[in-house]
């Protein structure tokens, strides 16, 4: 009997699409259930409807099952990273206890919790790049549906009667809410619009048309202010100001001062836009609700319970039912008093701080800048509209998705026990001696699905190769095959490999000296295992490296993630006694991060599927420097890169590296730049190409400067200026300062050597 196999990723993406369509009201509209609320019918609004409740429960229970299965609630990091959002939810739960209508408050809390859990499901399963693109395109397509509806059923898509007669609302129940959401969609898509992504341009266009037809000044204001703010922060990122926390903080404070100035003159701006500067309707509502807020200032009426309380009866009898206070902050005071309002402010602050810190850490900074601007705009628009925490608003879904953060931690296993070491030494006695590059046995069993081959290029590594191999013997999960490639060594390193007794299959391959890229390719071609783990001949792994990396790969594969490379943290030990922790963390798509640096923590940290490397044709053997960065970039172009957040490598840096001998490697670096740009020039913007070239030259300029090779500093800086004038201000002007210092020293040297007349 045949069975239909469905991948987890298909189910995940299908559920995500269902939830997004539900929360942006596409499903609600198609089913003919009306908008999120019927403002003219209090009973319908308070009771809700069965179909919405069922859809809401689905978006609650599926993520809840997912989080329990992945032990999210057992992670301390989850609580630390989302502390103030969890605190806000606790305040809402507490308000049920003193609510005027506890059952109504409970139902509305469950509805809000459904949206928060669904947002968490998205944040856990997708990278920020995918989240912004996915949400922006979904909202843009909803705008397109509304525009099609305007042609087919104009009486449904446009408002009729009143001062807003003829304004476009599309599939949304309220035209201003739809306009705000379309504006947010455009801001979400800005990073992809900069890359000229056709889908982003397509969806943003329809969102813009919907805003213009809605005649919404709020929507236009959000687009203008959001785009200008994003451009401002993007300029700071281009100039690498975000690499200096103090400078970036100063520029941010300057931006906030400008915003405060504009806010103090908002009445003039509204008059220029032809709008009532007094916000008459809203201010009147807030004045009428003032006595009720003062009466329950500390605790409020309970979440969502004010409009069903006796105090609201008089207001509704005289002024009619308006659904909410038309301000997220005023509505929060009604729901939970100053306690809940304080928690809301802290939640906003936490969300802004997360994105701000991510921008300064240069973690997908362009997308983080967009998220930072959007959350800031939510904080502003929440003053004149009920946005946060409105569980009926798709804007709240966007906020929660950007505000929540997860880190996929693995269980920490104990180090190798004494009994395990005894077993390994016993196994070593029965293991076969190293083989001399034997061909694969045709009839041997195929490798297991998680088999690992460790590839070790070696050139004159006699002093360290035995320690390196010993670190493999100590692995809690032994490799299936280890291949050492002798790259034309002149010492007795190959003989030491032959004499090494190992509890795994050990192969020695030999070739003339052709470089590490060629040696790695030789070993990878000879391997048959599923995974290839890179290891240099003078590095050592911690005992749990393979076990934890394979466990992370298995976990991500179950989620349907397209993983190309698993990294880990590394402890770098320099020959002069200095120590450095390389802890760059990756979790998703990181292609554009490689423009600025090699964000993999070392060659010996990488675990890659063999088929990925073979599909890319192996390492570029023409490169004698940065060949690993080029390979990781090509992997990141098509697959995700993830990191085990633990130090699992001891890396040794001796006197033969670039820092000690920059002149030896500089021409190789120039060749790397040429190869990289030949492949990726069309994919990068002009600014990204400039950043790439200047960044690579800066590394060597600093190395030459530290060694006092001032003539070389002058030559490198001239190359940087030939690339762009931005060399003057690149890296906060440090290359320029080093150039001026080198120029002064060479001038002084020339003056001192000139004989006096």
């Amino acid at each position: 009997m045949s069975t239909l196999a469905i991948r987890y990723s298909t189910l995940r993406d299908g559920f995500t699409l269902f939830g997004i369509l539900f929360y942006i009201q596409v499903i609600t509209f198609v089913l003919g259930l009306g908008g999120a609320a019927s403002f003219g019918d209090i009973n319908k609004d308070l009771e809700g409807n069965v179909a919405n409740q069922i859809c809401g429960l689905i978006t609650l229970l599926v993520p809840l099952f997912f989080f329990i299965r992945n032990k999210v609630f057992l992670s301390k990091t989850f609580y630390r990273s989302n502390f103030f959002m969890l605190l806000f939810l606790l305040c809402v739960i507490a308000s049920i206890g003193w609510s005027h209508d506890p059952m109504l408050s409970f139902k509305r809390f469950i509805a809000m919790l459904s949206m928060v859990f669904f947002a968490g499901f998205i944040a856990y399963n997708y990278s920020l790049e995918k989240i912004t693109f996915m949400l922006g395109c979904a909202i843009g397509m909803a705008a397109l549906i509304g525009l099609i509806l305007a042609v087919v059923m104009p009486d449904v898509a446009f408002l009729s009667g009143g001062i807003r007669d003829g304004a476009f609302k599309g599939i949304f129940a309220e035209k201003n809410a739809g306009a705000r959401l379309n504006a947010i969609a455009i801001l979400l898509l800005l990073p992809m619009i900069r890359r000229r992504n056709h889908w982003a341009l397509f969806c943003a266009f329809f969102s813009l048309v919907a805003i213009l037809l809605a005649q919404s000044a709020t929507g236009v204001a959000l687009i203008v202010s959001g785009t200008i703010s994003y451009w401002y922060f993007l300029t700071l990122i281009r100039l690498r100001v975000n690499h200096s926390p103090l400078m970036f903080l100063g520029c941010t404070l300057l931006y906030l001062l400008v915003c405060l100035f504009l806010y103090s003159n908002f009445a003039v701006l509204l008059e220029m836009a032809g709008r009532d500067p007094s916000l008459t309707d809203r201010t009147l509502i807030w004045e009428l609700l003032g006595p009720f807020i003062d009466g329950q200032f500390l605790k409020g009426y309970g979440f969502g319970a004010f409009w069903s309380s006796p105090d609201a009866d008089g207001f509704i009898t005289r002024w009619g039912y308006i659904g909410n206070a038309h301000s997220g902050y005023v509505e929060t005071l009604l729901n939970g008093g100053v306690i809940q309002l304080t928690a809301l402010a802290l939640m906003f602050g936490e969300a802004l701080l997360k994105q701000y810190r991510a921008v300064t850490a240069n973690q997908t900074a362009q997308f983080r800048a967009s998220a930072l601007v959007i959350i800031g705009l939510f904080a502003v628009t929440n003053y004149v509209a009920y946005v946060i925490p409105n569980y009926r608003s798709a804007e709240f879904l966007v906020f929660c998705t950007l505000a929540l953060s997860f880190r996929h931690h693995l269980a920490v296993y104990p180090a190798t026990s004494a009994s395990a070491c005894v077993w390994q030494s016993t196994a070593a006695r029965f293991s076969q001696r190293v083989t001399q590059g034997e061909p694969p046995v045709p009839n041997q069993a195929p490798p297991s699905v998680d088999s690992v081959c460790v590839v070790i290029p070696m050139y004159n590594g006699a002093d360290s190769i035995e320690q390196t191999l010993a670190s493999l013997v100590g692995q809690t999960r032994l490799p299936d095959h280890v291949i050492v490639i002798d790259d034309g060594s002149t010492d007795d390193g190959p003989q030491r490999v032959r004499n090494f007794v190992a509890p795994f299959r050990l192969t020695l391959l030999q070739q003339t000296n052709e470089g590490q890229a060629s040696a790695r390719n030789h070993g990878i071609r000879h391997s048959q295992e599923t995974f290839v783990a890179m290891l240099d001949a003078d590095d050592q792994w911690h005992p749990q490296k393979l076990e934890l990396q394979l466990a992370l790969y298995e976990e991500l594969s179950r989620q349907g993630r397209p993983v190309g490379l698993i990294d880990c943290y590394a402890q770098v030990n320099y020959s002069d006694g200095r120590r450095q922790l390389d802890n760059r963390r990756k979790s998703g798509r990181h292609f554009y991060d490689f423009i600025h640096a090699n964000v993999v923590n070392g060659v010996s940290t990488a675990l890659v599927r063999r088929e990925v490397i073979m599909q890319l044709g192996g390492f570029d053997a023409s490169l004698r420097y940065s060949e690993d960065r080029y390979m990781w970039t090509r992997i990141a172009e098509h697959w995700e890169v993830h990191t085990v957040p633990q130090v699992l490598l001891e890396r040794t840096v001796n006197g033969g590296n670039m820092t000690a001998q920059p002149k030896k490697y500089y021409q190789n670096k120039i060749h790397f730049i040429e190869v990289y740009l030949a492949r990726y020039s069309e994919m990068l913007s002009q600014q990204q190409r400039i950043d790439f070239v200047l960044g690579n030259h800066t590394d060597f300029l600093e190395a030459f400067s530290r060694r006092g090779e001032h003539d070389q500093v002058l030559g490198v800086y001239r190359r940087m200026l030939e690339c762009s004038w931005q060399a003057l201000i690149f890296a906060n002007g440090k290359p320029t300062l080093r150039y001026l210092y080198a120029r002064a020293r060479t001038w002084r040297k020339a003056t001192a050597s000139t004989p006096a007349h």
Side-chain angles (χ1 to χ4, degrees):
M1 180 178 177
S2 61
T3 59
L4 177 63
I6 301 177
R7 294 181 60 188
Y8 166 81
S9 59
T10 304
L11 294 174
R12 178 200 65 193
D13 295 342
F15 171 71
T16 302
L17 178 62
F18 161 77
I20 291 175
L21 293 179
F22 170 63
Y23 282 115
I24 64 176
Q25 301 182 22
V26 173
I27 292 178
T28 303
F29 179 82
V30 170
L31 293 177
L33 301 175
S38 178
F39 295 117
D41 187 347
I42 182 173
N43 293 323
K44 182 178 178 181
D45 184 26
L46 295 177
E47 291 175 5
N49 59 71
V50 176
N52 275 345
Q53 291 170 358
I54 292 174
C55 291
L57 280 176
I58 292 173
T59 59
L60 170 66
L61 296 178
V62 172
L64 178 61
F65 171 77
F66 176 84
F67 291 148
I68 293 173
R69 185 172 181 269
N70 286 276
K71 301 179 181 179
V72 171
F73 300 124
L74 299 180
S75 170
K76 293 181 181 179
T77 307
F78 166 72
Y79 297 100
R80 286 197 300 266
S81 301
N82 306 289
F83 178 79
F84 287 114
M85 177 168 282
L86 296 173
L87 178 65
F88 177 78
L89 293 176
L90 287 175
C91 290
V92 174
I93 294 173
S95 73
I96 298 174
W98 60 73
S99 173
H100 285 253
D101 190 340
M103 183 53 66
L104 177 64
S105 294
F106 177 74
K107 288 180 179 179
R108 295 198 166 185
F109 168 71
I110 294 298
M112 183 179 71
L113 195 65
S114 299
M115 182 175 281
V116 173
F117 270 46
F118 178 69
F121 179 85
I122 296 176
Y124 189 98
N125 281 285
Y126 299 95
S127 63
L128 181 64
E129 297 95 321
K130 282 189 176 180
I131 290 171
T132 55
F133 183 68
M134 180 169 54
L135 291 175
C137 286
I139 298 168
M141 295 307 294
L144 175 59
I145 294 173
L147 293 172
I148 295 173
L149 187 70
V151 177
V152 180
M153 303 172 63
D155 56 323
V156 176
F158 291 93
L159 295 173
S160 58
I163 60 174
R164 296 174 180 174
D165 182 46
F168 175 79
K169 68 182 183 70
I171 67 171
F172 299 101
E174 204 269 316
K175 72 108 179 175
N176 278 334
R180 290 196 309 269
L181 188 60
N182 278 305
I184 294 300
I186 294 173
L187 298 180
L188 286 168
L189 293 171
L190 280 179
M192 298 304 292
I193 291 173
R194 285 190 65 253
R195 298 178 183 178
R196 295 178 175 82
N197 182 280
H198 292 165
W199 273 106
L201 291 167
F202 179 79
C203 295
F205 171 75
F206 290 115
S207 289
L208 180 61
V209 172
I211 292 170
L212 296 177
L213 290 176
Q215 305 169 29
S216 172
T218 303
V220 174
L222 284 174
I223 293 175
V224 173
S225 59
T227 303
I228 293 174
S229 300
Y230 178 69
W231 172 83
Y232 177 78
F233 284 107
L234 192 64
T235 302
L236 298 181
I237 293 168
R238 285 176 175 176
L239 298 177
R240 294 197 171 188
V241 175
N242 60 318
H243 290 197
S244 172
L246 287 177
M247 287 186 64
F248 191 66
L249 177 61
C251 293
T252 304
L253 292 175
L254 177 63
Y255 166 79
L256 292 176
L257 288 174
V258 173
C259 291
L260 287 174
F261 171 77
L262 294 175
Y263 174 76
S264 64
N265 294 277
F266 80 97
V268 177
L269 297 175
L270 286 174
E271 286 181 352
M272 292 172 60
R275 295 285 171 168
D276 182 3
S278 63
L279 298 174
T280 304
D281 293 341
R282 288 179 174 83
T283 53
L284 177 60
I285 291 171
W286 300 337
E287 288 177 6
L288 294 172
L289 293 175
F292 304 115
I293 294 173
D294 294 337
Q296 299 288 339
F297 183 72
L298 184 63
K299 299 188 298 183
Y301 288 81
F303 187 64
F306 169 75
W307 299 102
S308 66
S309 68
D311 287 350
D313 291 342
F315 181 93
I316 295 171
T317 301
R318 183 171 182 181
W319 303 103
Y321 179 63
I322 59 174
N324 60 70
H326 293 277
S327 169
Y329 302 119
V330 176
E331 186 72 16
T332 300
L333 282 171
L334 289 170
N335 287 337
V338 70
I339 296 175
Q340 200 172 112
L341 181 64
T342 302
L344 178 67
L346 292 172
M347 182 172 69
F348 266 121
E350 179 184 62
L352 288 168
L353 184 61
K354 281 182 187 178
Q355 304 301 335
Y356 182 86
R357 293 174 65 181
V359 172
T360 56
N362 204 34
Q363 298 172 356
T364 56
Q366 296 179 8
F367 291 88
R368 295 290 180 180
S370 174
L372 178 67
V373 169
I374 290 170
I375 293 173
L377 289 175
F378 280 148
V380 175
T381 55
N382 205 42
Y383 173 67
V384 294
Y386 183 29
V387 177
I388 312 296
N390 185 0
Y391 63 89
R392 292 168 169 167
S393 169
E395 294 163 279
F396 186 46
L397 173 67
V398 175
F399 170 81
C400 291
T401 307
L402 299 179
L404 286 166
S405 58
F406 297 87
R407 293 182 181 178
H408 312 305
H409 282 291
L410 296 168
V412 179
Y413 299 95
T416 309
S417 62
S419 60
C421 292
V422 171
W423 180 89
Q424 289 169 358
S425 62
T426 304
R429 297 191 189 101
F430 295 97
S431 64
Q432 295 181 344
R433 289 278 178 169
V434 61
T435 56
Q436 282 287 337
E438 79 283 12
V441 181
N443 296 324
Q444 71 182 25
S448 63
V449 292
D450 62 347
S451 57
V452 180
C453 177
V454 181
V455 174
I456 307 175
M458 178 184 67
Y459 176 73
N460 290 344
D463 294 338
S464 59
I465 187 61
E466 290 172 312
Q467 288 180 299
T468 299
L469 292 173
S471 75
L472 300 182
V473 175
Q475 290 293 299
T476 56
R477 195 286 190 197
L478 288 172
D480 300 275
H481 190 188
V482 176
I483 300 177
V484 179
I485 306 93
D486 172 28
D487 190 32
S489 298
T490 57
D491 61 6
D492 65 340
Q495 187 59 44
R496 297 195 181 199
V497 175
R498 294 188 189 97
N499 295 337
F500 191 87
V501 179
F504 41 71
R505 184 177 169 213
L506 179 59
T507 301
L508 175 66
L509 304 177
Q510 292 184 292
Q511 65 178 38
T512 57
N513 184 251
E514 299 176 9
Q516 289 197 333
S518 174
R520 290 194 185 99
N521 288 339
H522 191 180
I524 293 168
R525 284 194 300 268
H526 192 85
S527 68
Q528 285 189 311
E529 286 68 27
T530 305
F531 293 94
V532 173
M534 310 298 169
L535 180 59
D536 284 345
D538 54 356
D539 294 343
Q540 290 86 44
W541 285 350
H542 286 205
Q544 299 168 277
K545 180 181 184 292
L546 284 182
E547 183 176 11
L548 293 180
Q549 287 187 310
L550 288 171
L552 177 58
Y553 182 87
E554 182 180 356
E555 177 189 348
L556 295 170
S557 296
R558 284 200 305 267
Q559 300 172 17
R561 306 289 286 267
V563 182
L565 185 149
I566 299 292
D567 192 20
C568 65
Y569 293 169
Q571 181 70 53
V572 184
N573 302 314
Y574 291 91
S575 56
D576 60 4
R578 290 181 296 118
R579 291 169 64 85
Q580 173 184 313
L581 176 63
D582 284 348
N583 59 350
R584 293 176 291 267
R585 184 165 184 169
K586 285 77 62 184
S587 181
R589 297 287 185 177
H590 291 275
F591 170 74
Y592 289 97
D593 291 337
F594 283 94
I595 295 172
H596 305 291
N598 184 355
V599 295
V600 173
N601 293 311
V603 180
S604 300
T605 62
L607 176 75
V608 189
R609 286 186 67 88
R610 181 180 183 273
E611 65 179 6
V612 168
I613 298 178
M614 297 302 291
Q615 185 175 333
L616 297 175
F619 289 84
D620 189 332
S622 72
L623 296 174
R624 289 297 185 107
Y625 190 82
S626 293
E627 75 284 349
D628 55 327
R629 178 178 176 182
Y630 187 56
M631 171 55 76
W632 310 151
T633 304
R634 295 174 66 197
I635 291 175
E637 181 184 357
H638 304 285
W639 292 277
E640 293 183 357
V641 180
H642 292 265
T643 307
V644 175
Q646 295 185 39
V647 175
L648 300 176
L649 170 71
E650 291 284 337
R651 179 179 163 211
T652 302
V653 177
N654 54 41
N657 71 327
M658 182 273 286
T659 304
Q661 301 181 31
K663 194 171 183 179
K664 174 182 176 182
Y665 294 102
Y666 185 49
Q667 291 303 318
N668 294 329
K669 170 63 84 170
I670 293 174
H671 178 55
F672 162 70
I673 294 173
E674 293 170 349
V675 170
Y676 183 97
L677 291 179
R679 181 178 183 87
Y680 292 118
S681 181
E682 294 183 359
M683 292 180 59
L684 305 180
S685 66
Q686 181 181 2
Q687 185 60 50
Q688 288 171 328
R689 291 194 294 270
I690 291 172
D691 288 344
F692 173 76
V693 174
L694 296 184
N696 279 279
H697 282 299
T698 296
D699 294 339
F700 278 83
L701 185 144
E702 292 178 350
F704 284 128
S705 180
R706 283 192 292 267
R707 289 178 55 82
E709 299 180 19
H710 303 302
D711 290 338
Q712 297 293 334
V713 171
L714 301 181
V716 174
Y717 192 77
R718 278 194 292 270
R719 283 182 178 270
M720 295 173 66
L721 281 176
E722 289 171 2
C723 171
S724 171
W725 65 268
Q726 293 182 31
L728 296 170
I729 57 174
F730 190 75
N732 299 325
K734 290 180 181 178
T736 300
L737 293 176
R738 290 185 182 274
Y739 166 78
L740 293 175
Y741 176 75
R743 173 62 69 186
R745 291 299 299 268
T746 53
W747 177 81
R748 182 178 178 183
K749 182 179 179 181
T751 303
S753 62
T754 302
H757 295 287

